[in-house]
Amino acid sequence: MNSDSLGQNLSFFVRKLSVIDMEFSDFFDMLWTYLGNPDESKDNKGRPKFFCHLIDLIIRTPQTDVEDEKAQSGDLNPFAGRVADTINKYCIGSRPIPKKDAKELLSRISNGKKFIDEINFSAPGARESIRNKLRDEQFEVTMSSLGEVCFKAMKAFLNKFKNAETSVRPQDVKTNQNSIDNLRLLYDVDLECPLCGESLIKNGISNAIAGYDIVHIFPDNLNENEKSKFTKIKKAPENSDALENKIPLCLNCANVYLNNPTLNDYQRLIQKKQYIINKKQIAQDLNQLTLEAKLTKVIQGLKKVKPNLANSIVDYDAHTVEEKISHDYALQGAVSYYVSGYYNKIKDQFSNLEGPDFSFDELATTIKLAYFKFKREQLDQEEIFNHLADWILTKEQLPQDYSEASRIIVAFFVQNCEVFEVENAQ
Ligand SMILES: [Zn+2]
């Protein structure tokens, strides 16, 4: 080990050892600073009001008769009727939140959705500042987990107050599942920023997430106008916190995407994600060592597909996949992936088949006619793609576990022939 990296490791350990607990007053002050209403910061009523608001956000909707009664008499929030001065003391840390209140809140705490949304849909600048502040305190937090981590911290504080303590440490909030998910997402993108290619892990030592951030692919807090533009490309997932909606970026790109998400970057991230999904599907298939065998079987089977010899002559269409599938970025990503991995192999196999009982041109014409049939049914490109893959399986009487192989064949015809024409091309 040279002295440089020794020094780095030492400073890393020193940093780890110097982790100090975060006081509730610091945590509250951070949320108040970035999420509170600046108009209310002048008098001493603003903090208590914001404090009660945060508590409102974490209380579940009434589920028992007792809770119903409390709700009716306005006592659901135990701090609602308390003197502002007292609450101010909780906020600045000169008085701990009473054990009894903490216990009571924990017994009626919600799943955190409202609280998490409040954070995730706040202004980009506020989220960036909260993330940075928490990272300074050694919390493992990413932009996409920000709301969740804050909610967990809130819960952790209540648990501490219940036991007459007032501070939490990063371990109290960390979950193994989060770390595993982060690692998985990192390896999915081969440890490189999908937008600029920069390496996401610096110097190999840090377990901290200093070099990257994980963002939601469908951006949070778009205005209505932006939202409809983004939705046109691909609609928002039902659960924005699902892994499918998360992707790691370098800090720089993450900050840019947070503050100014462009349609172009959105498209690229969707493509990348789709690419990853296909790669995994194929890896799964390869684990069974069967995909290539299946592919060969599907190709051999095409030999027996009775050609549809209409007078149509097949045109080999040299447009790129991007030109032919110009609106559906997920499908574009999938087809590009299949083509990049299998085009040449398939081409070789077809040319080996060429002979008195097989003509590639005839097959291409048959596939093209099937394509036109589905197109006439007004299906969109993804539906046509899926129908063609199923069509091949039906013609060959193969079961569904050949569908990945069949989709790869369809991608070959998209690349090679007139399956999907370029719109407006003359
Ligand atoms: Zn980047």
Side-chain angles (χ1 to χ4, degrees), residues 193 195-198 249-250 252-253:
C193 175
L195 291 179
C196 74
E198 188 170 329
L249 300 178
C250 74
N252 188 29
C253 291

Side-chain angles (χ1 to χ4, degrees), residues 195 230 233 257 261-271:
L195 291 179
F230 278 76
I233 290 174
Y257 196 63
T262 65
L263 290 171
N264 184 38
D265 284 346
Y266 180 54
Q267 285 162 10
R268 289 175 62 198
L269 294 180
I270 291 170
Q271 271 174 308

Side-chain angles (χ1 to χ4, degrees), residues 27 29-38 50 117-135 141-143 146-147 150 213 221 255 258-259:
F27 179 71
D29 192 58
M30 171 187 78
L31 297 181
W32 166 240
T33 304
Y34 299 115
L35 303 178
N37 182 349
F50 182 66
D117 281 354
E118 174 104 348
I119 305 252
N120 284 349
F121 292 93
S122 60
R127 279 184 282 152
E128 200 178 324
S129 302
I130 295 172
R131 179 201 64 191
N132 292 347
K133 168 91 176 128
L134 287 173
R135 283 187 171 197
V141 60
T142 69
M143 210 45 98
L146 191 63
C150 287
D213 200 350
N221 79 337
N255 288 343
L258 172 72
N259 287 296

Side-chain angles (χ1 to χ4, degrees), residues 270-310:
I270 291 170
Q271 271 174 308
K272 180 71 188 183
K273 202 68 185 180
Q274 188 62 43
Y275 194 89
I276 291 164
I277 292 168
N278 289 119
K279 196 166 139 186
K280 280 188 179 163
Q281 253 162 20
I282 285 174
Q284 242 168 25
D285 256 331
L286 279 184
N287 281 342
Q288 304 155 18
L289 289 174
T290 50
L291 182 70
E292 304 234 349
K294 284 178 181 167
L295 203 49
T296 301
K297 184 152 179 184
V298 174
I299 292 170
Q300 294 285 343
L302 285 171
K303 205 167 142 179
K304 291 167 217 136
V305 171
K306 215 169 140 253
N308 189 336
L309 292 177

Side-chain angles (χ1 to χ4, degrees), residues 142-197:
T142 69
M143 210 45 98
S144 71
S145 70
L146 191 63
E148 208 187 326
V149 168
C150 287
F151 178 65
K152 282 200 180 115
M154 208 53 196
K155 259 200 325 204
F157 275 116
L158 290 174
N159 273 307
K160 297 288 177 175
F161 282 119
K162 198 178 78 180
N163 300 321
E165 295 167 51
T166 57
S167 61
V168 303
R169 39 183 56 205
Q171 298 95 290
D172 296 330
V173 171
K174 192 172 162 182
T175 64
N176 283 333
Q177 190 52 47
N178 259 344
S179 310
I180 292 167
D181 286 348
N182 288 358
L183 264 181
R184 243 170 76 185
L185 291 167
L186 274 181
Y187 279 97
D188 279 351
V189 298
D190 296 325
L191 308 174
E192 279 175 7
C193 175
L195 291 179
C196 74

